[in-house]
Amino acid sequence: MKQFNPAGVLRPTLLAAASIALLAGCQPGEQENTGYIDAQTAFMDAFRPYCGQAFAAKIVTDNQPSPAWDYPLVVHIRDCEERVVRMPLHVGEDRSRTWVLTQHPGYIDFQHYHLHEDGTPDDVSPYGGQTIVAGEATVQAFPVDEASKALFIENGLDVSTTNTWTIRFVDDNTMSYQLSRPGRIFEVHVDLSQPIDLPPPAWGYKG
């Protein structure tokens, strides 16, 4: 059985009051009776045709390039549960990164898990943000959350406290992951047109 083991690094991301506030801001017809926003449900469902498959990716924009990214990139859309999508990102032999999308009533949470090879969490893990608008079936934006801001400041990464992450289906063949903040832009395109061989399990996975 597949199991993701974030080594106890789960942490609360939004208070219930924040969820209620988000719901209150939705326009009529934007959410189901369950509280789940239609456009966000469609966005999560868009991953299902690719579930269990791996795809090559490439950096298309990076205004602060680093040698750490000069390796083949593979995105493995590994797990699609009812309201959760997990996508390990492999950078060469570095299997430390996993993107996790979780849909809640009124918002989607997007977290980055960075684990060491033994499965223990990095000091800056997890981090991410939540949607504050309904978004669209093809694109959702995730401004940094308060817990991540605190984590960044604690680890001397104050510049990241203005991060926004955006995931977008550019077309039927391309998914985009983008990090942006003032003075920083980083974007990866994932080629969904052709699955490739599955990579070894990402660090933190068992079985």
Side-chain angles (χ1 to χ4, degrees), residues 21 32 52 60 66-67 78 84 91-92 94 110 126 133 150 158 171 177 179:
E32 306 168 0
V60 296
S66 166
R78 176 165 174 151
V84 180
V91 182
D94 184 340
F110 178 42
V133 296
D158 300 48
D171 52 42
Y177 163 96
L179 160 67

Side-chain angles (χ1 to χ4, degrees), residues 3-10 86 113-115 119-121 125-126 204-205:
Q3 179 182 0
F4 181 66
N5 175 23
V9 294
L10 292 174
R86 299 184 184 90
Y113 286 88
H114 286 235
L115 307 181
T120 58
S125 178
Y205 276 91

Side-chain angles (χ1 to χ4, degrees), residues 78-97:
R78 176 165 174 151
D79 301 328
C80 295
E81 300 174 6
E82 183 177 4
R83 302 286 180 182
V84 180
V85 175
R86 299 184 184 90
M87 296 179 284
L89 167 65
H90 301 260
V91 182
E93 297 302 313
D94 184 340
R95 313 190 193 287
S96 63
R97 301 168 175 86

Side-chain angles (χ1 to χ4, degrees), residues 11 13-14 22 40 107-112 127-134 140-149 152 160-167 178-181:
R11 55 172 170 74
T13 53
L14 275 185
L22 288 169
Q40 295 181 350
Y107 69 98
I108 298 175
D109 174 67
F110 178 42
Q111 296 297 316
H112 303 68
Y127 63 85
Q130 292 84 36
T131 57
I132 58 175
V133 296
Q140 295 289 330
F142 307 91
V144 62
D145 60 41
E146 294 302 319
S148 296
K149 289 180 183 179
F152 289 143
S160 296
T161 58
T162 55
N163 283 1
T164 294
W165 298 272
T166 303
I167 294 181
Q178 183 188 87
L179 160 67
S180 62
R181 62 174 178 259

